[in-house]
Structures are given as C-alpha cells and as structure tokens.
Amino acid sequence: MEIYKGKKKQYFMEQHSIAHLFSFPVEEFIEVREYKRDEWIIQEGMRPDFLFYVIGGKAKIYITHQNGKVSLINFINANEYIGEMELLNDVYYTKGIQASTKTICFALPIHRYRGQLLEDAKFLRELTKFLSVKASVMAAKYSQSLAFPLENRLADFILQTADEGVYKEKHVAVCDYLGVSYRHLLHVLTQFCEKGYMQKDGRVYHIKDYASLHALADVLGNR
Amino acid sequence: MEIYKGKKKQYFMEQHSIAHLFSFPVEEFIEVREYKRDEWIIQEGMRPDFLFYVIGGKAKIYITHQNGKVSLINFINANEYIGEMELLNDVYYTKGIQASTKTICFALPIHRYRGQLLEDAKFLRELTKFLSVKASVMAAKYSQSLAFPLENRLADFILQTADEGVYKEKHVAVCDYLGVSYRHLLHVLTQFCEKGYMQKDGRVYHIKDYASLHALADVLGNR
DNA sequence: GTAATAATATGAGATATCTCATGTTTTTGA
DNA sequence: TCAAAAACATGAGATATCTCATATTATTAC
C-alpha cells in the first residue's frame, strides 16, 4: 500500500473531489492510498481505522466460513464506500476486502470524523442510498441463488463481464463469486460450448449465441 | 386493513412513541394501521405512498421470480421500517410485503414528509444503521446459502424459531424462506428424526438433542 | 355444512452440484 | 532460471436437491 503525498495527492483530490458528499471540509486529515492487486485493504476480523471511498479500481468482499469455504460476496467499484459498517455499528464482524485491480481510495480517519459524519445529513443521505442499493442487490443475489441453477446465473455473469464478445474471467474467482465448485463451473461452461453458445479458444471463450445466453439470463429478472 | 382513529390511535402513538427517531414532529399526518394476517401491506411492483414503521407483529418480504418460484427474502419485525427503499430511490422494483401475523404500524405519507426526512440527520442516522444491518444480514444469508447444505441452515432455523423445545413452523413457509423444495425439507426433517435430534408428534416436532442441532447450526458462524 | 383450497405426506426417478483423485499448464517468487 | 504455487482440466462416483405424481388431512369461504 502506498500513501500519496504532495503533488500526486493534490492531483487526485482535485480530480476526484468528494467535497459534495459532505457538508463540512474533510480535506485536512484525508489520505489518498493506492493498493496493489491482491493486497488486502481490510483484513477479515480486524476493525479498520478508516472509512474508505474508492475512486478507482475494483475490490472484492470476502468472508471465510468455518468449513473453509470462501465466499466472494460482492465487488466494490469506484464511488463506493468501504468500512461504513464499522463506522455505523459498534459491534460488527469485519469482512475481508481485497483489491482486485490496482485500487485508489480516499481514507478518512474514523476517530477524527465519526462524530461529524454521523451528524451530517448530506453524508448520511448518500450513504443511506448506497446502503439501500447494497441491501437490494444482496437480496436479489440471495433469492436468485436459491431460485435458479448455475446455468442462468452464469449466463448473466458472462454477459455482464464479457468484453467485445470475449469472456475471460478466472475460473477460480468465478467459483467463489457464484458459489459453486470449480468442477461444476467447468461442466456448465462445457455445456455452453456443446450447445454452441460459446466457443473455447485457449483460455478464453468467444460468445457465439447472444440470444440463447440472454434467454437464460433474462429469467433472473435483474431489473 | 384498519386505520385506527381517536382514542385507539392516541393510545398507540403514546405507547410506541417514535418522536425520538425524528428531529421534527411527525404526528400530524401519521396514521396508525392494523393489517390482518396474510394481508398485503405493499403489493409487489406497486410503489407505496407511505413509509411504514412497524410497532407490533411480523411481516414477510416476498419476491416472485419469472419461473414462478417465490422467495421469502426476510422477515420484518417490530421497530423496523417498510418502504424505505422507495423513499430513498426514485427507481426501485418494489417487493411484496405481507403481514405474517396481525401487524400494527405507523404510516407516514411520503409526499408530505419526504423532503424533511431526507434532511434530518437523526432520522437518516437510524435508517442508515438499520440498512447496514439489513445489508449484512442479506450478505450472510447469501453466502451461507451457497456454502452450506440445508441440514445446517435448517438446524439454525429450528433453534431460532422453536419455542420451549417445540418446533412448529409451517413447512410451506419454511420452504420459501430457506429456498428449498417442500419435498427436500421433509426429507431432511425426517433425517433429523431418524438421527434422534427431534421427535415428531402430530404436526409438531420436539427437540431431543440440542447439542447435535447446535453443532450443525454453529458452523454457519452467525455472529 | 359442504365444497374448494391449502397444507401435509410419501414414493420414485431425474438433475444439479459436490468431493476426490490426478495430471497439465501457467504464473510467481527467490 | 528454476522450483513452488496457482490455475486449468478431466474423470468417476457420491450426495443434495428438484420435479412430478398421488393421497390424506386441515382450513377457509360461501
């Protein structure tokens, strides 16, 4: 992890100003941090001392279960908060947050700002919206995971992550994300190829039949 | 649905005062409503005109999928909000909310209070906490549903809902809640009986072996 | 009260998904 | 650059879960 200083810090604070999110100045004690791919921004079980606001990159929320299984609960993208649970709740089991790409974020020291933040309607209003969306998304994922087999959820995921008709996510990450075994994921991918929806080329897959994939994904009803 | 008036209304507003949740008076346009068991408080897909605050009873959040499956996403208990998603988000697919027992709640007309509510730090702070817990609970349920078989989740559910050693939830409701088929639920319940964890007596089950059920439930790691 | 509806129950066969075993290829770190 | 670690790949058998079919009770509505 690198903490930006001087001009570099100034640059990011100007380029990605978050002044509009607060009704008081937060510049004084803010840090601009860069985490490398795979670095842990928050360790599972360890309360963070900062409230983070992501301005670039992508991170992953993980939780480890007692049976050793690891769930990738969700991704965090630019313009989203990290550590807001700990800011709000005195008791909370902290999940692990890992940078999935190089990730740049602002870090607000909680001990300095907590009181003011919890009195700031502007901040709270935006955070409330963010959390309401987060809760809805989790509810949707939860009910979909119970109501539909991998086939549908994978089709949706492929369409969401494919870039110019090419799907090339890492299988291991997708397993964690969709909550299925490696073996089963490969199985369903093979089926998609056999049915002509995709074509495997080395390590990547080319989408050949968008219509069929869409048909599978649409029944999830992600609105 | 019945709207309380006069003395009855006064009684509930005094007994369950929510003045401490707002920094401005909300009494003027508030309604006190009673919904009967199985009545719909909010119809799926229909935006509500009120923000509800439950003061008694229990309600269920449902979503209907395109394949006809219905998921019971979660329960709502006393001192929780209903309709907060619609208050916050202009576009939102409204889920169905059904009273699970007789449910009494306050109803605040959104068109009258929306502006003030979204400026009220006191209200927003509490709502933010509520939503953060909601998001966490959904995340936990999501990851548990992927990481553990019904056996574990059912053991947890039985321990949470049993009253004095007696489990007597309706099977159909439990299926929706745990997201499994009726057939499979009965199958696992039968296993629990065969293993001596419970004993079936007519339509109810008596818990015989708390230790084993706890062992199954504990691996979920619900902290 | 009686017919309709919802809930309980159970069997049998299908399918979705998992575990384990084993081998190859790619990436990473000293 | 080489060894270790991670990711990819595939087979085979087990298990969790689903669908469908069919009865038997409760509950509800008229």
Side-chain angles (χ1 to χ4, degrees):
Chain A
M1 185 265 285
E2 180 190 344
I3 300 179
Y4 293 175
K5 299 287 183 192
K7 274 204 172 157
K8 200 168 183 184
K9 177 177 179 183
Q10 280 320 116
Y11 172 79
F12 278 96
M13 289 190 49
E14 284 162 19
Q15 281 306 110
H16 302 271
S17 171
I18 52 170
H20 63 286
L21 297 176
F22 311 90
S23 54
F24 63 95
V26 293
E27 283 78 19
E28 193 178 359
F29 299 107
I30 217 168
E31 289 182 4
V32 182
R33 296 180 166 198
E34 174 190 313
Y35 290 88
K36 283 199 270 297
R37 182 158 156 336
D38 293 342
E39 218 176 334
W40 290 93
I41 300 173
I42 298 182
Q43 305 255 19
E44 191 168 345
M46 306 268 287
R47 273 187 95 79
D49 297 322
F50 294 85
L51 173 67
F52 299 94
Y53 186 82
V54 178
I55 59 176
K58 185 188 276 193
K60 298 176 283 190
I61 310 176
Y62 278 109
I63 188 168
T64 308
H65 297 282
Q66 290 202 14
N67 64 358
K69 277 202 190 181
V70 173
S71 296
L72 200 189
I73 294 182
N74 214 349
F75 289 99
I76 299 172
N77 295 291
N79 305 309
E80 296 189 8
Y81 286 101
I82 297 177
E84 77 286 353
M85 297 295 180
E86 292 80 359
L87 173 75
L88 295 165
N89 302 107
D90 294 326
V91 352
Y92 177 74
Y93 178 78
T94 298
K95 296 175 182 58
I97 312 270
Q98 186 183 35
S100 160
T101 65
K102 183 175 88 175
T103 300
I104 300 170
C105 50
F106 294 133
L108 286 77
I110 289 183
H111 74 283
R112 282 224 130 84
Y113 290 119
R114 186 167 198 267
Q116 274 178 288
L117 288 174
L118 295 184
E119 292 295 335
D120 184 350
K122 195 187 261 187
F123 166 73
L124 290 171
R125 187 166 54 240
E126 289 308 311
L127 183 57
T128 306
K129 280 188 197 171
F130 169 68
L131 286 172
S132 75
V133 171
K134 194 167 179 171
S136 290
V137 168
M138 290 315 306
K141 286 184 58 167
Y142 169 64
S143 66
Q144 287 169 6
S145 75
L146 295 175
F148 299 96
L150 179 62
E151 186 177 48
N152 300 96
R153 295 180 291 130
L154 180 58
D156 184 58
F157 182 75
I158 289 171
L159 291 172
Q160 280 194 48
T161 55
D163 187 22
E164 303 189 2
V166 177
Y167 169 80
K168 52 178 171 185
E169 298 300 313
K170 283 195 179 175
H171 296 331
V172 282
V174 178
C175 292
D176 286 344
Y177 186 59
L178 297 179
V180 296
S181 67
Y182 184 89
R183 193 66 196 82
H184 190 53
L185 173 64
L186 270 281
H187 184 97
V188 176
L189 279 173
T190 304
Q191 281 185 357
F192 281 3
C193 292
E194 282 168 358
K195 290 178 183 167
Y197 302 169
M198 304 203 294
Q199 191 176 314
K200 191 174 176 186
D201 180 11
R203 295 223 156 173
V204 308
Y205 294 77
H206 295 271
I207 299 180
K208 290 289 171 187
D209 180 357
Y210 275 93
S212 296
L213 289 177
H214 264 299
L216 285 174
D218 284 352
V219 303
L220 293 190
N222 264 328
R223 16 212 160 195
Chain B
M1 186 264 287
E2 180 189 343
I3 300 180
Y4 293 175
K5 299 287 182 192
K7 274 205 171 156
K8 200 167 183 185
K9 176 177 178 183
Q10 281 320 115
Y11 173 79
F12 278 96
M13 289 189 48
E14 284 162 19
Q15 281 306 108
H16 301 272
S17 170
I18 52 170
H20 63 287
L21 298 176
F22 310 91
S23 53
F24 63 95
V26 292
E27 284 78 19
E28 192 178 359
F29 299 106
I30 217 169
E31 288 182 3
V32 183
R33 295 180 166 198
E34 174 190 314
Y35 290 88
K36 283 199 269 300
R37 181 155 153 348
D38 293 341
E39 219 176 334
W40 289 93
I41 300 174
I42 297 182
Q43 303 255 19
E44 191 169 346
M46 307 267 289
R47 274 187 94 79
D49 298 321
F50 294 84
L51 172 68
F52 298 94
Y53 186 83
V54 178
I55 59 176
K58 185 189 278 197
K60 298 177 284 189
I61 310 177
Y62 278 109
I63 188 168
T64 309
H65 297 282
Q66 291 202 14
N67 63 359
K69 277 202 190 181
V70 172
S71 296
L72 199 189
I73 293 182
N74 214 348
F75 289 99
I76 299 171
N77 295 290
N79 305 310
E80 297 189 7
Y81 286 101
I82 297 177
E84 78 287 353
M85 297 294 180
E86 291 82 359
L87 173 75
L88 295 165
N89 302 106
D90 294 324
V91 352
Y92 177 73
Y93 178 77
T94 298
K95 296 176 182 57
I97 312 269
Q98 185 183 36
S100 160
T101 65
K102 183 175 86 175
T103 300
I104 300 170
C105 50
F106 293 134
L108 286 77
I110 288 183
H111 74 283
R112 281 225 131 82
Y113 290 120
R114 187 166 197 267
Q116 274 178 290
L117 289 173
L118 295 184
E119 292 296 335
D120 184 351
K122 194 187 262 186
F123 165 73
L124 290 171
R125 187 165 55 242
E126 288 311 309
L127 183 57
T128 306
K129 279 188 198 171
F130 169 67
L131 285 173
S132 75
V133 171
K134 194 166 179 171
S136 289
V137 168
M138 289 315 305
K141 286 185 59 168
Y142 169 64
S143 67
Q144 287 169 4
S145 74
L146 294 176
F148 299 96
L150 179 62
E151 186 176 47
N152 300 97
R153 294 179 292 130
L154 180 59
D156 184 58
F157 182 76
I158 289 170
L159 291 172
Q160 281 194 48
T161 54
D163 188 21
E164 302 189 2
V166 177
Y167 169 79
K168 52 178 170 183
E169 298 300 312
K170 281 195 180 176
H171 296 331
V172 283
V174 179
C175 293
D176 286 345
Y177 186 59
L178 297 179
V180 295
S181 67
Y182 184 89
R183 193 65 196 81
H184 190 52
L185 173 64
L186 270 281
H187 185 174
V188 176
L189 279 172
T190 305
Q191 282 185 359
F192 281 3
C193 291
E194 281 168 0
K195 290 179 184 167
Y197 302 169
M198 305 202 294
Q199 191 176 315
K200 190 174 175 186
D201 180 11
R203 296 222 156 173
V204 308
Y205 293 78
H206 295 270
I207 298 179
K208 290 289 169 187
D209 180 356
Y210 275 93
S212 297
L213 288 177
H214 265 298
L216 286 175
D218 284 353
V219 303
L220 292 190
N222 264 331
R223 13 209 164 199

